[in-house]
Amino acid sequence: MIKELIIDSSPNGATIALLQDKQLVELHKEQITNNYTVGDLYLGRIKKIMPSLNAAFVDVGYEKDAFLHYLDLGPQVQSLLKLTKQVRSGGYQSKLLDNFKLEADINKGGKISDVLAKGVLVPVQIAKEPISTKGPRLSSDLSIAGRYVVLVPFSEVISISKKIKSNTERNRLRKVVESIKPKHFGVIIRTVSEGKGVDELQKDLLDLISKWETFVTKLHGTEPSRKVLGEIGRTSTILRDILSPDFHHIHVNEQSMYDDVRSYIHEISPEMEGIVRLHKHKEPLFEHHGIDKQIKGAFGKTVNLAGGAYLVIEHTEALHVIDVNSGNRTANKENQEENAYQVNKEAAKEIARQLRLRDMGGIVVVDFIDMHKPTNRKELFDYLKAQMADDRAKHTILPPSKFGLIQITRQRVRPEMNIVTSEVCPACHGTGTIRPTVLLLDDIENNFNFILEEQNEKNITLVVHPYIEAFIKKGIFNRQMKWYFKYNQWIKVKSNPAYQITEFHFFSSKDEEIKL
């Protein structure tokens, strides 16, 4: 599989497209004005305790207070509160936790009012960006992510990605991390760590420790409700999380972004620095790689499939609904079951792509074409799971219900990608109405009076829609003849099929448009 990353940089941010075998599978927008990114650390102030929700509303500088549930506090929240209080009062000088005495874990079934109170300052991490009318979703179970490992303060646990299957490799990684991790810090070993040496893991861990030290240093003087430590940009985050030997090219259209990407890749994977290319064509980057066309075809309400079938994607407040239609696909009358199975497989592949592409989250209900054979329903379910295996968002797929519906839950941490694919009508300019056609000739003749009599133009040409041309030239004593007698000169009339029905233009004898 050939993977490419296309980064279209602009003054307002960057749009990042991930291609697999030239097909668009992910699209991300990184806005410079976007102040809330998943992973950012803030010094929150508790605004309100809600015992009925077992949660608190926290001020992190957003117009809507952020939401912090008891289950998102983390078992060591008492240690975090204690460290925050000591650092801000100047009573704790060390940047690491070697000399810090951990507090006992909180009770999993406890109440938030036993831990937090109004006005308390607590470091929090953005778990979900603001979505719709809701403020950010928070967690005080802090973690700092790197390329190979994730650093978790106030813990001693070493966790290893389940995707690393080899017991030998798991034991090796555990021993390596145990030998280099600092006291009172836990570590999560990511999938990309498989096969990496001590030097690479240690460098990544040291970078994360340095970030933690920066966090502790800034924590002392940061004003409440302000950001303490920011996550790296969306571009770097994507490179950190998905960069692999499968990538063949990374195309960038702007020199400073090109330099930043090369520099970052040199840090995390020096051997792949050469795949970064600077786009030098006159044609825009996304247009050159056919991404604009793919975006227009993939983000509408109706998504057409290659075999003639199509999807209808509807969004509601509570869930997303996807309906699979066979369309004009020629059905095999002798085997409708097989036809339905093939259409459903084609749709399942596109649905897996659409979930990633639009970053759809929450509950998704898919209405596949009915199939009667249990084996076909089972194979479709397995096929859909296989197609979604590359999806980095946490998701769960339930087997088909008795009505043939498949339900999917998918993690939502950012607002859904929503791109308007319809364009404003050039005839009505979005109003839904156009000027009465009965007045069109009056408009044309008013312009004749100005062009021929006041500007004294000669040998002009009127260009209109073909229907209008036919109307003007209809009959022997037609409109064109009447204009000849009225203005004492012959006015040429031509048509252009690209014109709207009420569109017209005048051209001089030198074939230059006369601006009105």
Side-chain angles (χ1 to χ4, degrees):
M1 181 181 291
I2 298 174
K3 292 184 179 181
E4 296 176 281
L5 205 63
I6 317 295
I7 304 173
D8 184 18
S9 180
S10 69
N12 297 324
T15 304
I16 307 149
L18 174 61
L19 305 183
Q20 288 183 356
D21 294 332
K22 300 297 182 180
Q23 187 178 42
L24 181 66
V25 293
E26 288 187 23
L27 190 68
H28 303 268
K29 285 185 178 290
E30 181 182 27
Q31 300 292 338
I32 292 176
T33 57
N34 184 9
N35 296 322
Y36 293 88
T37 301
V38 172
D40 285 351
L41 298 177
Y42 282 76
L43 180 62
R45 184 194 293 276
I46 304 299
K47 289 289 292 293
K48 188 187 297 182
I49 300 293
M50 302 294 291
S52 59
L53 300 175
N54 204 16
F57 285 103
V58 186
D59 180 14
V60 290
Y62 189 66
E63 55 185 345
K64 294 272 187 180
D65 288 336
F67 185 78
L68 177 63
H69 194 271
Y70 182 84
L71 296 177
D72 295 322
L73 291 178
Q76 275 290 317
V77 65
Q78 295 286 18
S79 298
L80 178 62
L81 293 169
K82 175 182 172 182
L83 178 71
T84 303
K85 192 172 182 180
Q86 290 182 359
V87 169
R88 291 185 66 80
S89 66
Y92 189 81
Q93 301 298 326
S94 174
K95 295 179 181 179
L96 293 178
L97 303 174
D98 298 34
N99 303 318
F100 185 80
K101 184 180 179 182
L102 298 181
E103 297 294 308
D105 290 357
I106 61 173
N107 182 6
K108 290 183 179 180
K111 297 180 179 179
I112 199 162
S113 55
D114 296 335
V115 180
L116 299 176
K118 184 177 179 180
V120 168
L121 299 181
V122 55
V124 289
Q125 191 163 26
I126 305 294
K128 288 184 181 181
E129 291 180 9
I131 296 173
S132 185
T133 59
K134 301 174 183 177
R137 178 76 181 258
L138 305 177
S139 170
S140 56
D141 192 6
L142 308 184
S143 63
I144 305 176
R147 171 127 173 96
Y148 300 119
V149 296
V150 179
L151 188 67
V152 183
F154 312 112
S155 173
E156 299 289 353
V157 178
I158 297 176
S159 304
I160 304 175
S161 168
K162 293 179 181 179
K163 293 183 179 180
I164 300 177
K165 303 296 184 183
S166 169
N167 288 330
T168 304
E169 179 64 8
R170 293 174 70 88
N171 291 332
R172 183 189 74 87
L173 290 170
R174 186 181 297 278
K175 289 178 180 177
V176 168
V177 171
E178 280 178 346
S179 65
I180 58 178
K181 85 172 188 69
K183 185 180 179 182
H184 296 328
F185 281 93
V187 174
I188 301 171
I189 302 173
R190 307 182 72 173
T191 307
V192 288
S193 299
E194 190 170 7
K196 300 302 178 183
V198 178
D199 291 345
E200 293 170 293
L201 296 175
Q202 186 173 27
K203 181 181 181 299
D204 196 40
L205 188 57
L206 289 174
D207 288 342
L208 300 183
I209 293 170
S210 176
K211 287 185 178 180
W212 170 260
E213 291 175 339
T214 302
F215 166 74
V216 174
T217 302
K218 290 185 174 181
L219 188 61
H220 176 72
T222 300
E223 292 293 321
S225 309
R226 301 292 182 183
K227 185 188 295 185
V228 184
L229 185 68
E231 173 67 288
I232 58 177
R234 182 73 62 85
T235 305
S236 299
T237 303
I238 292 171
L239 289 171
R240 180 192 70 194
D241 292 344
I242 70 174
L243 189 65
S244 68
D246 294 339
F247 275 85
H248 285 61
H249 302 293
I250 297 175
H251 297 277
V252 187
N253 68 332
E254 196 260 332
Q255 185 67 49
S256 63
M257 175 66 80
Y258 169 78
D259 295 336
D260 290 344
V261 171
R262 278 185 67 96
S263 175
Y264 185 72
I265 291 183
H266 179 74
E267 289 182 16
I268 65 174
S269 192
E271 71 280 2
M272 298 186 69
E273 186 178 348
I275 68 173
V276 186
R277 308 285 177 84
L278 180 63
H279 180 75
K280 296 181 179 179
H281 297 275
K282 292 183 179 180
E283 193 178 23
L285 180 62
F286 271 24
E287 186 178 338
H288 181 75
H289 291 275
I291 296 172
D292 282 338
K293 185 176 181 180
Q294 290 196 52
I295 290 173
K296 291 291 185 183
F299 277 90
K301 176 181 175 181
T302 302
V303 179
N304 295 313
L305 306 179
Y310 63 94
L311 307 177
V312 177
I313 302 176
E314 297 275 6
H315 307 270
T316 72
E317 187 69 24
L319 49 80
H320 305 281
V321 181
I322 303 177
D323 185 37
V324 180
N325 293 276
S326 58
N328 59 4
R329 182 184 175 114
T330 303
N332 183 349
K333 294 181 180 179
E334 297 179 358
N335 196 344
Q336 293 183 352
E337 178 79 9
E338 180 63 22
N339 184 71
Y341 175 64
Q342 294 301 329
V343 171
N344 284 339
K345 278 190 66 176
E346 185 182 5
K349 183 176 181 180
E350 180 61 26
I351 287 167
R353 171 177 173 251
Q354 286 289 329
L355 295 181
R356 292 176 66 188
L357 189 56
R358 304 187 189 212
D359 203 10
M360 293 163 64
I363 301 173
V364 181
V365 178
V366 185
D367 183 12
F368 285 102
I369 299 173
D370 290 343
M371 297 184 297
H372 302 290
K373 292 183 180 179
T375 53
N376 285 345
R377 291 199 293 267
K378 175 69 166 57
E379 288 181 15
L380 176 64
F381 175 61
D382 293 339
Y383 183 77
L384 180 59
K385 287 199 297 183
Q387 291 297 315
M388 291 191 64
D390 291 334
D391 195 338
R392 290 178 290 124
K394 294 179 182 177
H395 60 270
T396 303
I397 308 173
L398 298 181
S401 69
K402 64 184 294 184
F403 299 115
L405 304 177
I406 287 184
Q407 299 174 65
I408 304 169
T409 60
R410 188 174 182 274
Q411 182 186 30
R412 177 169 60 182
V413 295
R414 296 184 178 90
E416 179 185 339
M417 179 69 66
N418 186 24
I419 295 177
V420 178
T421 56
S422 57
E423 298 176 353
V424 175
C425 171
C428 71
H429 305 291
T431 63
T433 59
I434 61 173
R435 184 170 172 78
T437 53
V438 71
L439 300 179
L440 177 63
L441 292 180
D442 290 343
D443 289 342
I444 292 174
E445 291 182 3
N446 288 336
N447 284 295
F448 278 152
N449 294 331
F450 174 74
I451 294 170
L452 299 177
E453 297 180 1
E454 296 188 23
Q455 289 193 334
N456 200 29
E457 289 277 353
K458 302 293 183 181
N459 300 318
I460 69 168
T461 302
L462 169 66
V463 183
V464 292
H465 187 275
Y467 287 167
I468 305 301
E469 181 200 23
F471 178 79
I472 292 172
K473 293 182 176 180
K474 182 181 179 181
I476 298 175
F477 196 67
N478 52 38
R479 287 275 179 175
Q480 193 174 19
M481 187 65 70
K482 290 180 180 178
W483 291 340
Y484 173 73
F485 289 114
K486 182 176 183 179
Y487 301 111
N488 293 319
Q489 61 175 290
W490 186 253
I491 299 168
K492 297 177 184 178
V493 179
K494 294 182 179 180
S495 66
N496 188 333
Y499 281 15
Q500 303 300 322
I501 188 72
T502 58
E503 184 179 359
F504 60 88
H505 297 277
F506 298 97
F507 292 85
S508 68
S509 57
K510 297 180 181 179
D511 205 28
E512 297 175 347
E513 185 177 353
I514 300 172
K515 301 294 183 181
L516 301 175

